[in-house]
Amino acid sequence: KVQENAGYTLVYEDQDAGSFADSLQARFFLRNYVEARQIRNTGSNNRRLETDDVRGMGFGIDLKKDLGAGHRLTYGLDFDRDDVDSDRTDTNILTSVQTAQPGAFANNAHYASAGIFAQDEIRDVAGFDVTVGARYSYFDFSFNQIGSTPGGGPEGDGDFDALTASLQAARSLS
């Protein structure tokens, strides 16, 4: 088994962002993950070479604004996308005949997510620190169906979204 993992992130921070935010952080990243496996079952004349290659990129922006003493608003957006190629080659070790097979994952798969969010932190509300948050997320995906011929076959795709919220209250016990 061989694994290679590389990632690069570029971050920009501004602690005096202006009237819309007291601070801003922007991130852009690239990543690549490759895993190769050679598999041979006991007593088998067949050796499998499986390779998965995941390439990703994304960005995010977080903004923070103090709305008064003990009251901080955090808001922003993010985007993330992964592209996956997955291949498999079976080799008969007696005849050296190679046969292409579907990989461990759907080949030519794409997965993307995007979201916008806001969180409000309020200190000392009747002795409690209260955090309220909301996030809208959108997801999109596509792939070649597993079991189809390598490099082709029927496509699958879709999307979905969600609106989520959170509420937290904390109090010091001492």
Side-chain angles (χ1 to χ4, degrees):
K1 183 186 235 184
V2 176
Q3 295 178 335
E4 297 175 6
N5 195 5
Y8 306 94
T9 303
L10 178 64
V11 178
Y12 170 78
E13 291 188 1
D14 186 348
Q15 297 300 320
D16 189 23
S19 61
F20 61 92
D22 296 326
S23 66
L24 171 144
Q25 183 189 73
R27 299 166 308 284
F28 176 76
F29 67 86
L30 298 170
R31 66 177 169 246
N32 190 57
Y33 175 77
V34 178
E35 182 174 318
R37 299 170 297 282
Q38 286 193 36
I39 302 168
R40 183 174 169 210
N41 294 333
T42 303
S44 174
N45 293 331
N46 198 39
R47 182 182 63 227
R48 292 192 322 247
L49 175 60
E50 297 177 349
T51 305
D52 304 318
D53 185 0
V54 181
R55 295 163 316 283
M57 61 82 61
F59 65 86
I61 300 172
D62 296 345
L63 301 121
K64 294 185 180 189
K65 178 75 174 171
D66 288 329
L67 301 175
H71 191 180
R72 173 174 278 183
L73 177 65
T74 302
Y75 60 102
L77 57 94
D78 53 61
F79 173 80
D80 194 333
R81 178 182 170 105
D82 285 330
D83 296 309
V84 180
D85 287 321
S86 187
D87 299 305
R88 174 178 156 189
T89 302
D90 291 354
T91 303
N92 184 306
I93 60 173
L94 298 177
T95 64
S96 298
V97 173
Q98 294 185 337
T99 308
Q101 299 289 338
F105 299 96
N107 203 26
N108 298 319
H110 309 281
Y111 182 79
S113 65
I116 58 173
F117 60 89
Q119 174 178 286
D120 195 6
E121 300 170 65
I122 308 165
R123 296 220 177 267
D124 199 20
V125 177
F128 288 88
D129 293 338
V130 177
T131 303
V132 178
R135 177 181 175 85
Y136 172 75
S137 301
Y138 176 79
F139 305 90
D140 181 73
F141 62 92
S142 67
F143 57 90
N144 286 340
Q145 303 258 354
I146 291 179
S148 65
T149 58
E155 293 284 325
D157 63 7
D159 59 49
F160 56 98
D161 63 349
L163 179 62
T164 56
S166 64
L167 174 63
Q168 173 185 331
R171 181 180 192 136
S172 176
L173 297 177
S174 61

